[in-house]
Structures are given as structure tokens and as C-alpha cells.
Amino acid sequence: MSAAAPHPDATPSRAPAAASAPASAPAPASASAAAQTPVTGQAPVTGQAPVTGQAPVTGQAPDTGQAPVAEQTSVAEQAPAAAKAPAAGPRLAWLDALRGIGALAVVAEHLLPWFLPGLRPYWFNLGVYGILVFFLVSGYIIPTSLERHGDVRAFWISRFFRLYPLYLGVIVAVLALSWWVPVREAVPRDGSAVAAHATMLLDVVSVGGVADTMWTLSYEMVFYLLVTALFLTRGHDRSGLLSMLFAVAAVVVGLIVSGAVLKGTWPAYVSCAVFVVGLTGVVAGRLRTASACVLGVMAVVLLLMSSRVPWLGAAVLAVMFAGTAVHRWERGTGRLWPVAVTAVLVGIAPLWAIESGWWWVQADVWFTTIALAGATFAGGMALRGRRLPRVLVWFGLISYSLYLVHHPVLKYFVQVSGDLRRAEAPYQVAMTALALALLVGVSALTYRYVERPMQDLGRRISRRYRDRPQGGADARVAGQGAGDDGVLGEQEGQVPDRVRDHVGQGDALR
């Protein structure tokens, strides 16, 4: 399937190529980041054709009282929180709607090249647009949720139960069906793949995920690690400055780096060991601040020196912190001009980057995509408090499931249906409708029977620990409320789905 941003293993191409019949569902072709990157299933890699079946590097919401991303209940389901924040439900429905829009954009980016190639737009990139919206939403809500809750342990417990159950389920399903549709070649056949998947730091250690959509999780995880360290060291209120610093890094790194500096399998192994030991310290409360700082530093080093496309990783973090800066401006505790500076720097980052050449980073396409994502986010904010289409809010509710399962399901569908790109229009439309119905049905089921039960379990465990004193003097940060927010907790964590670049002649379905 096509992806929004190029995958590191794809060769760059500046103009869209005509689609050709997909190979019989070859090995599946990431992180989100924003972010999720050409048609490849992973973040764009230098000098690789974006048309590969991998998603580029361009490239979910906790209980406020709990880890932010861990839970993803729709705003409508947050009625109990009304007692504490009466207007919260309607006010935050726009975030669910934005996630719904982002999810549908990413699905369209992967679906159109293989089902309705004539409808795919090339004046902007649907996949990159969708993941940028997702990263803005994550940046907007996750840090403030942690700050309001003030409980680092609950944050990570919630995050684990929000992200890992479905993530592991998709991995198991893809591996189980690898006899039919082989695991994509970007996934190493050694222990480094296990280590990278265990931490979700796939793209920042240059390891392909078993599912294309997993690459963006790398940048979400980097953001969580960095936000935790900033929160515990009282540096979390400098969002505007951080967004500009990462944007500057994107420009500079793009000019001097042409891919990962730290190569080989050892970054995956070392980061896994540090991740496990460090998070154990953060959750257990022993040397919590020191552990969080080590993890934060590791995350930034990997982002800038070990990721597939370093400038893109820095740009993703800049976008996420820009989302946080918008929230602080909205609350009257920050200014908006750093967001404008960040937007300009992110806009020019790929123009002179050594690693570029994909059609979606050409100046006109890149600027248009960024502008549309920003306008969509601004439009959502302008509609706060208004009644929004329930279908969009519902798609936001199931968006994490839709992100992770849609690409494998589309590959399996095309494996059965055969190449649809040269079929008659009525047949293409019929198959598209059938595929969409299947995607929505599977996503609704995985949300109902995997996500929700695990989110509920995470909430129960988080509340149990909140009732006990946490180990370590820095378990909570003074001045932060420990109460259950009930609103923000449900709004965080939508992890942008992996997007892939344009489908060109001879491209196999990845």
C-alpha cells in the first residue's frame, strides 16, 4: 500500500510514478511521527525510492488522573468527569474529531493507490497530513495531562495498557500470517528486531516494524520519555523554546547528516537494556528523576544520531512541542510566536537536506501539507464547545485500532482480490466500499475487545497505585493535582499511523 512519507529503505523519487499491478502481497513494508514519509511502511530512508511498500518516517489518550495515552474513550463517554470539568466533554470532542480526520487521511493514503489510483492527490500528501494532525494532538494533550495528574507512575502504567496490548496483538497476527504474506524485508531476522519492538523505538534505531504503521510509535515514545524527564526536572513549561530548538535541529541536521550516524544492531540492544532498567526506576520510584533523565537523553541521542531520517525525527518533535506550546498559549501561560517560528523552520528543513528527494518533500507539496495540517488543527480549536459530527468523534475513538490494523488488512484484502488498479471503475468502487467496511469492522472489534478492556485494566491498576504513597521523593511534583482529571486522560495518545509514499511502476504491495 502507499504511504505518506518515504521509508528509509525507499529510493527517492521527485515525481509521482504510475501505479502498476501489485505483487502478490510481498513482505509487508513507520514511527509518526509525523508523523509518520513516502509510500514506504517506515520513515523515509536516505536515497530510497519512496514508492517502496514501506511507510516513511514522517513517519494515543490517558485518563487524566492516569497516564495520558493509556486510554482512549470518546469524549461522549466521559460524562462522569463532568462533575470535575463540566464543559470538558463538548470542549474536547474536537480532539476526537481531529483524530478521526487524521485516521481517515492515513487510510486514504494507503488505500487510494491500490484501489482508486486516479483519485490520489499529489498537490499535498494525505498520509503526512494525517500524521501531522496526530502529532499536534499528542503534543497538545499529553504533557498537560501529565502535569494535571502529577503522577509519573500512573502515566506510564496507563501508557503501557493503552499502547502495548493492541500493538503486541498486531505483531502476533502478522507473524502468524507470514506464511501467506511474508514479513517485510525491512525487519531484521535477528534479536535486534525483538529489542526494537519491545521498546517501540523502531525508527529511531533504524529497525523496520512488522507492521508499516508502527514507525510513528517510535516518535511518540521518544516524546513520552522526554516529557517525563522535563516534568520531573521542572522544565516542562518551556514548550515554545523546545519546539524551536528541535526545529533548528531539523534544519541543521538535514544539512550535515545523511542518515544514521550510529549504525548496526547495537543501538537496538543497548536502548532496550536502558529502556527496561530506566522505566523500572521511573515506575518503581527508585532514582526516578535520574532514571527519567537518562531515558530522555538517550531518546534525543537516538533521534538525532540513529534514526533513519534524522532531520525528519527532529521535525516531528518540533511539531509535537508546538502542539504543547499552543495549549500553553490557550491557557495564557505561553506565547504563540514560537509556534510560527517552528512552522517556518520545519517548512524549510527538507529543502536543502541531504536526505530528501521524495515527492512529498518538494517545496510546494511540503508547504501545502503543513499548512493544511495546521489549518485543520486551528479549525478544530475554533469549533471547541460546538456539536461535531458524531461519526468523526467515533472514528477518533477507534483511531488507534484503525491505525495499526488497516495496513495489514488492506494487504490481505488485495492478496485475495488481486490487482485492482486497472480494473473497471465500478468494480474498483465496489471493492473499495467492501475494504472500508472490513477495515472499520475489524477496528471496531479490536477496540471493543482489546483496547477497552486493557484500558479499563490500566485504569484500575493506576488507581490502586494512586491510593498508595509512591516510592521516591519525586514521585509527584509539588503543585500538581493528583486528582483524576477524567477528561484529559481520555484524550491523549492517538498514535499516528504509518504512512507510505507514492506507488510507482512495478511496486509490490507492501
Side-chain angles (χ1 to χ4, degrees):
M1 308 306 307
S2 77
H7 180 292
D9 300 326
T11 54
S13 102
R14 295 187 177 269
S20 69
S24 63
S30 51
S32 48
Q36 262 181 64
T37 322
V39 171
T40 70
Q42 302 172 307
V45 170
T46 82
Q48 293 179 313
V51 174
T52 70
Q54 298 172 313
V57 173
T58 46
Q60 306 209 34
D63 216 36
T64 39
Q66 302 169 316
V69 172
E71 314 188 31
Q72 179 189 348
T73 54
S74 72
V75 175
E77 295 177 351
Q78 298 174 9
K84 296 185 178 183
R91 181 175 62 83
L92 292 180
W94 66 281
L95 293 174
D96 279 326
L98 287 178
R99 283 195 292 265
I101 293 172
L104 293 174
V106 173
V107 170
E109 174 64 20
H110 288 144
L111 181 145
L112 290 177
W114 296 103
F115 288 74
L116 297 167
L119 297 182
R120 187 187 187 190
Y122 289 102
W123 54 279
F124 82 107
N125 188 292
L126 272 167
V128 177
Y129 160 79
I131 63 174
L132 286 176
V133 171
F134 282 128
F135 283 135
L136 283 169
V137 171
S138 289
Y140 179 91
I141 202 65
I142 289 174
T144 53
S145 174
L146 176 57
E147 293 164 19
R148 289 192 174 201
H149 178 50
D151 189 333
V152 173
R153 172 186 289 164
F155 173 86
W156 279 102
I157 291 175
S158 177
R159 192 63 46 208
F160 176 86
F161 283 95
R162 173 66 185 88
L163 299 180
Y164 272 93
L166 182 62
Y167 171 78
L168 295 175
V170 171
I171 291 175
V172 170
V174 170
L175 293 178
L177 291 173
S178 61
W179 59 270
W180 180 32
V181 177
V183 174
R184 60 200 187 91
E185 297 176 0
V187 181
R189 269 53 175 179
D190 56 36
S192 66
V194 177
H197 282 84
T199 62
M200 290 190 179
L201 295 172
L202 295 159
D203 241 42
V204 295
V205 293
S206 297
V207 171
V210 298
D212 298 23
T213 56
M214 292 175 177
W215 69 273
T216 55
L217 294 175
S218 306
Y219 302 98
E220 290 278 340
M221 186 59 73
V222 167
F223 187 62
Y224 303 156
L225 294 173
L226 189 52
V227 164
T228 300
L230 291 169
F231 176 69
L232 291 174
T233 57
R234 310 294 203 280
H236 55 284
D237 58 345
R238 299 180 176 86
S239 307
L241 175 61
L242 288 166
S243 67
M244 291 189 293
L245 288 176
F246 276 107
V248 169
V251 175
V252 175
V253 170
L255 291 172
I256 63 177
V257 175
S258 61
V261 175
L262 304 177
K263 301 178 181 293
T265 60
W266 69 268
Y269 291 116
V270 173
S271 62
C272 183
V274 175
F275 183 87
V276 172
V277 175
L279 267 191
T280 298
V282 169
V283 174
R286 293 178 175 80
L287 300 175
R288 174 175 276 122
T289 299
S291 298
C293 289
V294 170
L295 289 171
V297 170
M298 177 191 76
V300 174
V301 170
L302 292 176
L303 179 79
L304 300 178
M305 301 187 71
S306 183
S307 57
R308 295 176 180 274
V309 184
W311 72 260
L312 183 58
V316 166
L317 266 290
V319 169
M320 297 181 85
F321 277 111
T324 310
V326 169
H327 190 281
R328 298 199 189 288
W329 166 77
E330 178 188 23
R331 295 302 179 98
T333 59
R335 298 183 179 183
L336 198 57
W337 66 265
V339 177
V341 173
T342 298
V344 171
L345 292 172
V346 169
I348 66 175
L351 300 187
W352 303 287
I354 299 174
E355 269 189 301
S356 62
W358 305 284
W359 70 271
W360 53 275
V361 294
Q362 297 308 299
D364 55 342
V365 177
W366 181 250
F367 292 157
T368 302
T369 302
I370 292 175
L372 287 175
T376 300
F377 189 80
M381 290 188 68
L383 294 175
R384 287 169 299 177
R386 298 191 180 184
R387 187 176 298 278
L388 298 171
R390 301 183 74 173
V391 65
L392 278 183
V393 175
W394 183 76
F395 273 116
L397 179 66
I398 67 167
S399 59
Y400 184 44
S401 283
L402 193 56
Y403 299 151
L404 286 184
V405 308
H406 84 273
H407 204 275
V409 170
L410 287 176
K411 288 188 294 185
Y412 302 142
F413 187 96
V414 173
Q415 180 72 1
V416 173
S417 69
D419 185 11
L420 300 170
R421 290 173 290 181
R422 294 184 175 82
E424 294 296 325
Y427 186 69
Q428 287 181 329
V429 172
M431 290 296 99
T432 299
L434 182 60
L436 287 174
L438 180 62
L439 286 177
V440 173
V442 171
S443 299
L445 289 173
T446 55
Y447 171 75
R448 174 64 181 83
Y449 294 105
V450 179
E451 286 195 72
R452 275 182 57 182
M454 291 298 100
Q455 290 171 15
D456 290 342
L457 177 59
R459 277 196 294 269
R460 290 195 296 271
I461 294 175
S462 295
R463 287 168 183 164
R464 182 182 309 166
Y465 278 107
R466 276 206 308 275
D467 293 337
R468 305 176 184 176
Q470 297 189 44
D474 55 357
R476 288 184 186 279
V477 174
Q480 302 296 337
D484 185 347
D485 192 336
V487 176
L488 290 178
E490 308 283 19
Q491 295 301 322
E492 306 169 334
Q494 298 312 319
V495 177
D497 211 10
R498 171 134 203 157
V499 283
R500 301 176 15 192
D501 189 22
H502 171 67
V503 177
Q505 289 289 359
D507 281 344
L509 181 60
R510 295 281 203 187

